[in-house]
Structure formats: C-alpha cells, structure tokens
Amino acid sequence: MKYISTRGQAPELSFEEAMLTGLARDGGLYLPAEIPQLSHDEIAALAGQSYEEIAFRVMWPYVSGSFSEQEFRDIISRAYAGFDHDARAPLKQLNENHFLLELFHGPTLAFKDFAMQLIGQLFQVALKKRGERVTIVGATSGDTGSAAIEAFRGLDAVDVFILYPHGRVSEVQRRQMTTPADSNVHALAVDGDFDDCQAALKDMFNDFDFRDGVRLAGVNSINFARVLAQIVYYFSAAVSLGAPHRKVSFTVPTGNFGDIFAGYLAKRMGLPIDRLVVATNQNDILHRCLSGQGYHKGDTIPSISPSMDIQVSSNFERALYYAYDQDSRAIAALMDELKAGGFDVSQGALQALHESFDSGRVSEDETMAAIKSTLASSGELLCPHSAIGAKVAEDQRKSDVPMITLATAHPAKFPAAVEKASGVFPPLPPRMSDLYERSERVTRIANDLGTIQEHIKGHIPA
Ligand SMILES: Cc1ncc(COP(=O)(O)O)c(C=O)c1O
Ligand SMILES: N[C@@H](CCOP(=O)(O)O)C(=O)O
C-alpha cells in the first residue's frame, strides 16, 4: 500500500515511512492511495472475534509490506494487553435504539489509548529495525498528550514533547502529563489555546532545517496510523449489533475530526454505516460548515468539554480531499485560504459531505443537562464530551437504525464538571488514585515558535 498527500506535492510513502514522517512535506496529510475493501462475508466473519483479531483483519491491508503478519499480530496483542476491559471497547445499551461505545478503558482513560498504545508498539519495532531515534512533538487539548506520554515514556529511541494550552485542560489531564518522572518526556504549558499549539506543531514540520535536525515525528492524528487504529472499533461495534446484515449509525463528539474520519473510512471500506453524526460543543466550526455556512475560524471559547475546544480541525482536510474528488490542488488552495481566516465549501463538495455526515451543536447548559438526564435514565455517568455525543444522538437518531454514541473519555478525567452536573463525584480507578499526590514537572513557555524550537533542541541528545 502506498500513501499519498492530500496536497499532491509530497513523495508517495510506504505505511512505515508515512507513520514515521507525520505531516507530508507539502504540508498535507497522508492517506492510502486506495481504500481497502472488506466484502460482506469478510465483515460477517468478524462477528464473535476478539477485538485483537478484528484489529488485525481490519488494519492488515493498510500495513502489509511494512510488517510481517506475525510481527503485526504481536504488536496488536501488546498494544491492548494493558486495557482494563476484556472487550477493550464494550457496548452498553442506553435505551431501545441507542448504544454507548465505551472507549475509555485504556491506560489514560480516553479513546486516544486505542491508537497511541498501538503506535507506541509500531514505533518501537520500526525504529529498532532502522537503528534510528526520533523526537516526537505533539499538540494536545488534554487527551492526546497524556496518551502519548503513557505510550512512549521510558523508551530509549524517542524523546517526547507535548504542547498543551496553559490553564485550559482539566487537572487530571494536566497531572497525567506532568507527573511521569521519565526523563524522555517533557510537558510544555503554552500561553495560548490548542489551535496555537497545533499551528506551532505544523510550523515545526514545515521548517525543514528544524524537522530534519531533530528528526521530528508526530503522533497527533496528522499521523495516519492514529486514524487507522480508530477504524477498528467502528467494525467491532457494528458487527456486534448485526452488521453487515443491518445498518448502524454513529454519533461522534468531534474536535480535530480524526475519530469521525476513521468512521468515514470504515464506511468506505464496506461497513454499512447509515449516518456519521458530528457532535460539537460551542466551538462549532464543523457544525456551521456542515450547515452550509463555510469553514471560517472564530475565537476558541473555553468550555466544560476542553478536549473539543478546537477551531482548526486538522483532519477535516482529509474529508475535504474526498469531497473534492481527490483534487489535491483545490485542497492546497483551500488550506491557503484557511490561513487567512477561512473558506466557503463548494455546493458539490458540501453535497458529498452530506452523503455521510450530519451534525449537531450542544451548548454548555445542554451538556450539563445531558449528563444529568443520561444518569437518571440509564445509570450511565458520562464525561462532558460523551454527553455532547449522547445529546446529539438522541436528537437525531432514527427509529429503525441503531445509533452508537462514542464515549470518548472516562468521567473521572473531568470530575468538577461531572459532579456539578450530576451531583456524583466520579472517582479515578485505584491504579491512579494517588495522581493528586504525585509531584509535577512542567515548563511554562511562550506561544512563540522560535522559543519552543530552542527549548526542544536544548533538551534532546546532541
Ligand atoms: C475526550 C475527547 N472527546 C472527543 C475528542 C474529539 O476527537 P477528534 O479530535 O478525533 O475529533 C477529543 C479530542 O480529540 C477528546 O479528547
Ligand atoms: N482533543 C485532542 C486534540 C488533538 O487531537 P489529535 O487527535 O489530532 O491528536 C487532544 O485531546 O489532545
């Protein structure tokens, strides 16, 4: 399988090369040159298989050529061994036609662990074979950072720097990033918002002297391997509700568009998905865009679902690439317009997006009310992000198609908001119960590319 850039000007790469490269050298995002297909029978045969077996069958067509079959099976098995739940991604029924896909049973209690634990293993195997080391820089609104630190801490061949917006992540998220003592991980609290952190990261990739000098790698959903790992749970959830013999829909709390884009690829691979519903908080650029108002940046407003406080939604570029019939020139032009504030989406592209995606926006008050009402009606305590998904799903589900809402984080990562909404304090799992006593290590840093680059250069081996 070859990987191509959404902007058409970067070299085609193998899976392993694309994974270690991160952002394409033309500023675009890598995608497989062709989307692998699973037949009706192949999808039917996934029913009853372990999560690991489904992961192997879904991802193998994307990675074969870079890893041997046994190597990849072993990687998958190590990646999910540390999850707290045997099913890895269990489904719970909320009401007759609405299900919750719990994606928070991994080491850092968010869906990011599904991809990050896998990438950690993939990087280790690939770097060992090549005898190389890399510097990983990540931008986070809270969950990617903690998952990356957990996956890469203590590894010899990797230094990890995580940029997070100072004061704009929950205390649990911050402590997950600042308390690991391993000398190869570095938490940087940036005076800015998540979009500033992500913009700085992309600027670092586009500065080739810096990029090549530090051997920069990325584990945000810029990296196609992140998206790939997230395709798996769409298949596992759908087949457990009867796919491919019946259709299902998904509602996905959305920020950087990586998670729901994985669902889009699952659909393009042959999984009978009826609707993919984008659920946003008050930072609703995606909902506005899908409602025909163009893709125009606004100010990021802090919310009780901080991981979704995003305006520039990185993976939307991948969705646009398909909506614009894989016209990489058009995508490059739109991304230039975005630098100046935004762009309008053509009627044809909007229609193409609407073939798969719907959307909804949830206010702060509605989020609180959804946490409370879901607890009352089903006994499930949701994190604010998952509550946004559940609210939009309830508003938009059809009576004849099961709706699956992705529960993207454990409520204990956002205890203040959850307790305020529901009156119930969500405790951390026992393995993390001393999180508040551990000492923190963090560098506060200006939102300035040069300053961040100098800091990174000064903290990696010469
Ligand atoms: C808890 C949680 N929910 C939802 C999202 C949104 O996911 P995505 O950025 O893949 O759209 C994030 C951040 O990415 C998150 O951390
Ligand atoms: N919500 C994310 C933002 C980064 O998203 P990514 O999927 O591109 O890594 C976070 O928690 O950091």
Side-chain angles (χ1 to χ4, degrees):
M1 175 69 77
K2 282 288 173 197
Y3 286 78
I4 53 170
S5 165
T6 47
R7 302 198 195 168
Q9 299 297 315
E12 288 190 4
L13 300 178
S14 69
F15 173 79
E16 183 180 300
E17 290 164 337
M19 175 183 82
L20 294 174
T21 297
L23 196 71
R25 286 180 94 86
D26 59 3
L29 300 172
Y30 275 106
L31 279 168
E34 279 158 31
I35 299 174
Q37 300 297 301
L38 290 192
S39 69
H40 186 276
D41 288 352
E42 284 169 323
I43 296 172
L46 298 177
Q49 300 292 339
S50 67
Y51 188 85
E52 282 80 347
E53 182 62 29
I54 296 175
F56 176 78
R57 295 189 197 179
V58 169
M59 293 192 285
W60 179 243
Y62 290 90
V63 306
S64 61
S66 288
F67 298 94
S68 75
E69 191 174 320
Q70 193 53 50
E71 217 168 28
F72 193 52
R73 282 188 181 280
D74 292 345
I75 284 170
I76 291 172
S77 143
R78 288 195 297 272
Y80 299 115
F83 277 53
D84 289 337
H85 201 292
D86 286 346
R88 313 307 184 212
L91 261 188
K92 286 210 175 136
Q93 190 157 13
L94 286 181
N95 59 40
E96 199 190 341
N97 211 24
H98 187 183
F99 298 81
L100 198 66
L101 181 60
E102 289 187 352
L103 300 174
F104 50 70
H105 295 287
T108 67
L109 310 178
F111 77 97
K112 308 286 179 176
D113 289 321
F114 278 89
M116 213 60 87
Q117 286 293 313
L118 187 86
I119 290 196
Q121 298 295 333
L122 289 167
F123 265 64
Q124 273 193 71
V125 172
L127 291 174
K128 192 167 175 199
K129 270 197 240 168
R130 291 166 167 245
E132 291 175 6
R133 68 173 295 120
V134 291
T135 302
I136 290 174
V137 182
T140 188
S141 51
D143 291 321
T144 291
S146 35
I149 285 173
E150 185 61 31
F152 289 96
R153 58 192 281 192
L155 298 188
D156 284 343
V158 179
D159 291 290
V160 186
F161 295 83
I162 297 297
L163 314 177
Y164 72 85
H166 175 70
R168 291 186 179 217
V169 299
S170 80
E171 185 173 356
V172 172
Q173 289 177 315
R174 190 193 75 233
R175 286 180 171 275
Q176 284 181 320
M177 293 188 276
T178 59
T179 57
D182 310 73
S183 59
N184 73 323
V185 300
H186 310 266
L188 305 181
V190 178
D191 286 316
D193 58 25
F194 169 76
D195 292 307
D196 295 322
C197 298
Q198 181 155 260
L201 174 62
K202 289 196 174 180
D203 287 346
M204 283 183 233
F205 272 108
N206 290 325
D207 175 346
F208 293 153
D209 283 346
F210 176 81
R211 175 181 186 153
D212 297 337
V214 304
R215 301 196 60 85
L216 185 62
V219 294
N220 276 97
S221 53
I222 285 170
N223 193 322
F224 183 75
R226 277 280 312 283
V227 176
L228 172 61
Q230 293 169 194
I231 298 173
V232 175
Y233 45 70
Y234 287 89
F235 276 92
S236 72
V239 295
S240 68
L241 291 183
H245 310 292
R246 69 167 173 172
K247 287 188 169 190
V248 297
S249 291
F250 289 91
T251 300
V252 186
T254 305
N256 230 3
F257 211 82
D259 211 7
I260 197 157
F261 183 73
Y264 173 78
L265 287 181
K267 181 174 166 131
R268 295 278 306 256
M269 287 175 76
L271 190 65
I273 295 177
D274 183 29
R275 306 304 300 159
L276 286 162
V277 187
V278 171
T280 77
N281 66 15
Q282 59 196 357
N283 296 296
D284 59 352
I285 185 169
L286 288 164
H287 174 58
R288 281 186 280 115
C289 180
L290 289 166
S291 308
Q293 297 171 45
Y295 193 76
H296 297 279
K297 288 189 253 182
D299 288 335
T300 308
I301 311 163
S303 76
I304 57 167
S305 45
S307 304
M308 285 158 55
D309 290 345
I310 297 176
Q311 287 286 339
V312 182
S313 200
S314 186
N315 287 282
F316 198 49
E317 176 169 346
R318 286 185 165 121
L320 289 169
Y321 175 75
Y322 291 116
Y324 277 84
D325 281 336
Q326 308 191 30
D327 180 349
S328 48
R329 275 203 196 167
I331 298 303
L334 292 180
M335 293 304 134
D336 277 344
E337 283 186 57
L338 182 59
K339 282 187 203 138
F343 54 83
D344 290 326
V345 177
S346 72
Q347 273 312 310
L350 194 58
Q351 206 177 329
L353 289 167
H354 284 158
E355 281 166 23
S356 300
F357 300 105
D358 292 321
S359 67
R361 172 207 201 267
V362 179
S363 71
E364 294 288 270
D365 287 348
E366 288 170 327
T367 308
M368 302 277 276
I371 294 173
K372 194 173 175 187
S373 64
T374 310
L375 181 64
S377 62
S378 68
E380 291 299 320
L381 193 55
L382 300 179
C383 90
H385 311 77
S386 312
I388 288 169
K391 161 78 175 132
V392 173
E394 277 300 306
D395 291 347
Q396 302 206 9
R397 72 192 166 90
K398 301 175 187 167
S399 59
D400 55 341
V401 181
M403 174 63 85
I404 302 168
T405 295
L406 272 53
T408 48
H410 193 289
K413 290 193 94 166
F414 309 93
V418 171
E419 187 176 27
K420 191 169 173 207
S422 65
V424 178
F425 182 85
L428 285 166
R431 65 181 159 83
M432 289 169 65
S433 58
D434 66 342
L435 187 68
Y436 288 90
E437 279 91 65
R438 297 180 199 162
S439 58
E440 296 190 70
R441 190 168 53 91
V442 58
T443 303
R444 177 106 177 249
I445 199 158
N447 175 23
D448 174 70
L449 182 63
T451 308
I452 297 171
Q453 287 177 316
E454 283 312 309
H455 181 90
I456 292 170
K457 283 196 272 187
H459 287 80
I460 55 173

